[in-house]
Amino acid sequence: MKIVMLGAPGAGKGTQAKMLSEKYGIPHISTGDIFRMNIKNNTELGKKAKGYMDAGQLVPDELVVDLVVDRIKAKDCMQGFILDGFPRTIPQAEALDYALNNQNEKIDYAINVDVPDEHIVERMSGRRACSDCGATYHVVTIPSKKEGICDVCGGTLVLREDDKPETVKKRLEVYHEQTKPLIDYYNKKENLLKVDGTQGIQVVFEEITKVLG
Ligand code: AP5
Ligand code: MG
């Protein structure tokens, strides 16, 4: 099963993608996580991406398309994958379709986790992410067992650099301009699944898996 997660920053794409990845046994590929790992390891890619990310802007298409197209050719993607945060622009979606088409494959579901802007800033300011393994928490809805410490690996939980309210507003603007048109793109291909992302995490998950099987 080949899945794309759509939705505004903070809609819960990553949260649902991790749960779906476990249920269906297919890899969760988050371009944001890949960039953050590269920034942490101070790679050339990380150095190029950091300025854009900290400003709430998109990293240029040419830095992300080949990376994803290569990643989905890996052996662990033979049974499918869940893309989280990619595609984010129409050219990225077209490049993905082109690469899949060449192998006689296609995206099975584009899942739009729908959350209105007014919910987003509050969600983001409460999010905490592990600086070691990337696991995500929320100070109110999903707190870690021990404050500031990751349940999974014992790493330190931090507020993401781009989760400051000013940057979140910029990310939302960029989302509306460049990423939201993808909803229409996948709707036309008749593989769009829309889910109300303001509901509880488990309810959202059940609504998605009811359709995916
Ligand atoms: P990325 O890391 O993809 O960030 P994003 O799209 O802005 O999305 P987030 O990860 O912030 O939110 P999410 O939807 O995953 O929500 P989460 O599950 O964490 O990208 C970061 C940056 O990298 C971009 O701005 C860009 O610069 C660059 N980039 C990445 N990919 C790119 C690409 N393809 N092209 C160009 N640039 C790219 O949930 C949020 C919070 O809410 C958490 O605390 C969670 O616990 C909580 N929560 C989740 N679900 C619920 C619920 N149902 N109810 C209550 N709380 C919930
Ligand atoms: Mg995410």
Side-chain angles (χ1 to χ4, degrees), residues 7-16 30-33 35-36 49 52-54 56-61 64 68 84-89 92 123-124 126-128 136-139 141-142 160 162-163 171 197-202 204:
K13 301 181 296 293
T15 302
Q16 295 298 328
S30 156
T31 42
D33 286 351
F35 286 135
R36 280 184 288 278
Y52 297 102
M53 290 174 72
D54 287 352
Q57 284 164 346
L58 295 185
V59 172
D61 289 343
V64 68
V68 174
D84 160 17
F86 183 96
R88 245 184 165 93
T89 62
Q92 289 181 18
R123 271 202 195 176
M124 309 296 250
R127 172 165 62 184
R128 296 294 179 272
T136 306
Y137 302 84
H138 189 280
V139 289
T141 47
I142 323 156
R160 242 167 68 177
D162 58 349
D163 278 352
R171 286 162 64 198
T198 63
Q199 308 173 97
I201 290 170
Q202 202 57 39
V204 175

Side-chain angles (χ1 to χ4, degrees), residues 9-50:
K13 301 181 296 293
T15 302
Q16 295 298 328
K18 277 193 195 96
M19 294 161 79
L20 293 168
S21 161
E22 272 169 36
K23 178 169 167 78
Y24 297 109
I26 50 179
H28 166 208
I29 302 167
S30 156
T31 42
D33 286 351
I34 293 172
F35 286 135
R36 280 184 288 278
M37 195 53 77
N38 274 276
I39 290 172
K40 197 176 166 206
N41 295 331
N42 210 16
T43 66
E44 281 310 307
L45 178 64
K47 283 181 205 157
K48 285 182 189 154
K50 187 174 186 326

